[in-house]
């Protein structure tokens, strides 16, 4: 599961994690409150060994370089292995905001472009990953209501 901890860890994501485990799904969740500079080899291996990758997009997801790096790894893994499924959950965000990189997602990416002026390939990789996953079938959670999208 990929998620922005500050946004959903104590509520939605923890409940989803428990529900998946209760149904017998082995679910990897990176629950470390601190972050290293780069995503860990343990996390990369968990992504590579997964058959279903769940991304919980929340309002501040794109503010996190860590989340965006993780998302880019997920998309790369999916492109190498067509058996891997990506299932996004749009938690109180409209999928079109992610797809079109507007609102909070657009502002966060613009900020990243300022920080990574010398590494625009990295930001473009994030932009591409966001678009690809926002176009995947998933679920839209909005104020207690879940629908397929």
């Amino acid at each position: 599961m990929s998620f922005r901890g500050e946004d959903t860890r104590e509520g939605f994501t923890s409940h989803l994690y428990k529900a998946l485990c209760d149904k017998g799904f082995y679910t990897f969740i990176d629950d470390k409150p601190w972050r290293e500079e780069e995503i860990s080899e343990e996390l990369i291996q968990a992504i590579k060994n997964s058959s279903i990758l769940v991304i919980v997009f929340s309002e501040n997801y794109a503010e996190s370089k860590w989340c965006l790096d993780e998302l880019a790894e997920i998309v790369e893994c999916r492109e190498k292995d067509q058996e891997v499924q990506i299932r996004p959950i749009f938690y109180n965000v409209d999928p079109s905001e992610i797809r079109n990189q507007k609102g909070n997602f657009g502002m966060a990416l613009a900020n990243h472009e300022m920080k990574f002026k010398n590494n625009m390939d990295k930001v473009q990789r994030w932009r591409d990953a966001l678009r690809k996953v926002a176009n995947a079938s998933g679920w839209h959670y909005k104020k207690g209501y879940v629908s397929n999208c």
Side-chain angles (χ1 to χ4, degrees):
M1 290 177 55
S2 174
F3 61 98
R4 173 88 166 148
E6 295 172 16
D7 290 354
T8 66
R9 179 186 312 278
E10 298 300 322
F12 182 83
T13 299
S14 62
H15 295 297
L16 177 59
Y17 175 75
K18 183 179 180 334
L20 290 169
C21 290
D22 287 350
K23 292 290 183 183
F25 290 97
Y26 171 74
T27 307
F28 179 86
I29 188 168
D30 185 14
D31 56 2
K32 296 175 189 148
W34 53 271
R35 295 281 181 242
E36 300 168 10
E37 186 61 28
E38 300 294 324
I39 60 176
S40 68
E41 187 59 36
E42 175 189 25
L43 181 54
I44 291 170
Q45 285 306 311
I47 291 168
K48 288 179 179 178
N49 294 331
S50 296
S51 55
I52 301 172
L53 297 155
V54 176
I55 297 100
V56 180
F57 287 115
S58 56
E59 187 175 346
N60 300 308
Y61 184 94
E63 290 178 6
S64 169
K65 174 189 152 322
W66 179 276
C67 287
L68 294 171
D69 280 343
E70 185 177 12
L71 181 68
E73 283 292 327
I74 287 169
V75 169
E76 186 176 304
C77 179
R78 169 65 173 96
E79 288 174 347
K80 288 179 181 175
D81 183 354
Q82 297 298 311
E83 299 289 316
V84 174
Q85 297 179 42
I86 295 177
R87 294 292 178 232
I89 298 172
F90 304 96
Y91 181 80
N92 289 325
V93 294
D94 192 294
S96 67
E97 184 178 326
I98 300 165
R99 188 177 310 112
N100 300 320
Q101 298 169 8
K102 302 286 184 192
N104 285 357
F105 283 79
M107 287 188 299
L109 288 163
N111 289 336
H112 289 307
E113 284 179 348
M114 297 296 288
K115 290 178 193 168
F116 294 99
K117 288 179 192 172
N118 297 328
N119 194 356
M120 292 305 286
D121 289 343
K122 181 181 211 60
V123 178
Q124 189 59 49
R125 184 176 180 231
W126 294 340
R127 284 185 178 278
D128 293 343
L130 285 164
R131 277 189 200 97
K132 287 175 183 176
V133 177
N135 282 322
S137 279
W139 298 275
H140 191 185
Y141 175 92
K142 191 167 185 175
K143 296 182 183 173
Y145 177 75
V146 177
S147 64
N148 290 334
C149 58

